[in-house]
Amino acid sequence: MTENTAQTDLQLDNFEEKVANDQRIEPKDWMPDAFRKTVLRQMSQHAHSEVIGMQPEGNWITRAPTLYRKVVLLAKIQDEGGHGLYLYSAAETLGCSREEMVQALHDGKAKYASIFNYPSLTWADIGMIGWLVDGAAIVNQVSLQRTSYGPYSRAMIRICKEESFHQRQGYEATMVLARGSAEQKAMAQDALNRWWWPSLMMFGPHDSDSAHSGQSMKWKLKRESNDVLRQRFVDQTVPQAEFIGLKIPDKNLKWNEERGQYDFGTINWDEFMQVVSGNGPCNRQRLQHHIQAQQDGQWVRDAMHAYELKRQTREVA
Amino acid sequence: MNPPSTTALLDTPLLNYCIALGDDSLTLGHRLSEWCRNGPFLEEDLALTNVSLDFIGRARLFYSYAAKLEGKGRDEDDIAYLRDCREYRNFLINELPNGDFAVTMARQLIVDVYDMGFFSALTQSQDPTLAAIAAKAIKESRYHLRRSEEWIKRLGDGTEESHERAQNAFDQLWGYVPEMFEMSDVELQLVEAGMAVDRSALKANWESTMQLILKQATLDVPNENWAIGGGRDGIHTEHLGYLLAEMQFLQRTYPGQQW
């Protein structure tokens, strides 16, 4: 055994002991390359999701029905962008720059939450994104507050606070529609019909089919399985729908007394795979929009850097 | 309940004044909100959204006060969403499309320098509500101006391309400035009563501040002599109709609903 491998073995033991004792792995700690790669993939994907998620919601800023709804929506999207910034910074602790992460997104190497590849067609979709999409995200993120990578865990604690506010305002906006005119109620029901199943897909494939789950659970990056989290989301959301008189679009949905949980129908995994692989309704549009904004802003960023250089030169002189 | 006609509402000078100030804020806030998810980088995206929120917030304060003055059960949304182009009273510069980032920032500088003068004078209004709104607005404008001034310097003294874009932006916008300093007879009555600001008195300060900033930004003060006005009389550019069509779509399609 060489000295180097002996050292690595020791480091690996230390790492595993920390994970086993529920201690956080911090940026300066030694970590296996595969762990670093996995956290980076997950965090950059999360950051991209926050930023791409600004698009379907941003689609309704100029058409928000009241000034109050407009400022709430703007502030919410601003929060999401802020989460993106925070997560990019946290992910940079793993030795990858934001520019590199964004490039990977543009090259199609990094993903973002597939849910944002569906179009926001009516005002009710904005409520639905808050209620269901942020609702599903919170279930996942509450679990991730205990993830083993320190910066990610702390980001989740902070982000969850804002997300739960978003979820409540989305539900409240939906409630107003559900209790409004027949047309408004139909608008809300239609939005629920379209967003329900994609929301369930947000938790990823079944545990038995999930490519990354096993190792991530072992590393305590992931604390609970896809199916457990999905079930929790269904159980908390069904009564909320009932309370405001909307119907979950699943004829197989029913309370299972024995399990103390809801049984629900089969997710269309073909659709899931289509969207994940880039062929959803808005995949191309979302990516193109992000690339376009980046290109349009190039001359602004160039000007900023040129000015900064001149300023520094002047200070030296 | 049928709201009273907007013509009646605009007949009252102070109402008219509040609504015009609200319209300035809302149209510019709307334009700035269009940058959300389109900014040149994420931090700037968030900053532009912040500024947009400030302007929409001001509009809400002015409209709510107008609704209260009127006392006929109308609210901020009735005023924002149920008036057509000819009933809007904003300065034209606020409704112009964003153009590129240079046009947006040049407009912002023009407005921010103006707002600093205007709201600081309005804090002296005999009307306590207007004075209070102005006191809040001036704090925001101080931050807005810091941003727009910095940006114009960066763009003007950045690259050749950014310099050219910034210069073009001011050239394009310059003719929309004069109306910001032109007073109507009705407004002069409000000035007499100690309620409103004499905008014509703000012009000299505005000009000297702009000259200073543009010089530092290595930009020329446009010397073309053109002026397009009419905003305070409801004579707008063709752009406002589209802005309102988009903004008012839900209220117009589903009238009288709660949202």
Side-chain angles (χ1 to χ4, degrees), chain A residues 6 26 57 66 77 124 137 146 228 233 288 295 304:
Chain A
E26 295 300 335
E57 295 190 288
T66 68
I77 299 172
R146 294 185 299 124
V228 166
F233 173 72
Q288 192 48 46
Q295 286 173 355
M304 195 166 71

Side-chain angles (χ1 to χ4, degrees), chain A residues 62 65 69 98 184 289 301, chain B residues 38 40 43 246 251 258-259:
Chain A
T62 55
R69 293 288 177 204
R98 197 208 302 184
Q184 285 175 308
H289 184 115
R301 297 190 301 276
Chain B
N38 295 307
E43 286 85 345
E246 190 172 333
Q251 290 275 358
Q258 296 298 309
W259 299 92

Side-chain angles (χ1 to χ4, degrees), chain A residues 46 49-50 52-54 56-57 76 80 112-120 124-141 159 163-164 166-171 174 191-192 194-203 233 236-237 240:
Chain A
H46 194 158
S49 302
E50 300 281 1
I52 297 290
M54 294 166 78
E57 295 190 288
K76 174 184 192 291
E80 310 291 7
Y112 54 87
S114 274
I115 190 91
F116 298 123
N117 290 314
Y118 291 87
S120 64
D125 291 28
I126 295 304
M128 221 46 74
I129 291 174
W131 174 31
L132 299 181
V133 178
D134 291 338
I138 294 168
V139 168
N140 190 30
Q141 288 166 13
I159 286 171
E163 289 293 359
S164 67
H166 297 167
Q167 194 266 349
R168 279 201 300 272
Q169 68 80 27
Y171 184 56
T174 304
L192 176 58
R194 285 181 288 112
W195 289 93
W196 175 253
W197 290 103
S199 299
L200 296 194
M201 293 176 198
M202 282 176 72
F203 295 94
F233 173 72
Q236 81 177 31
T237 310
Q240 292 171 353

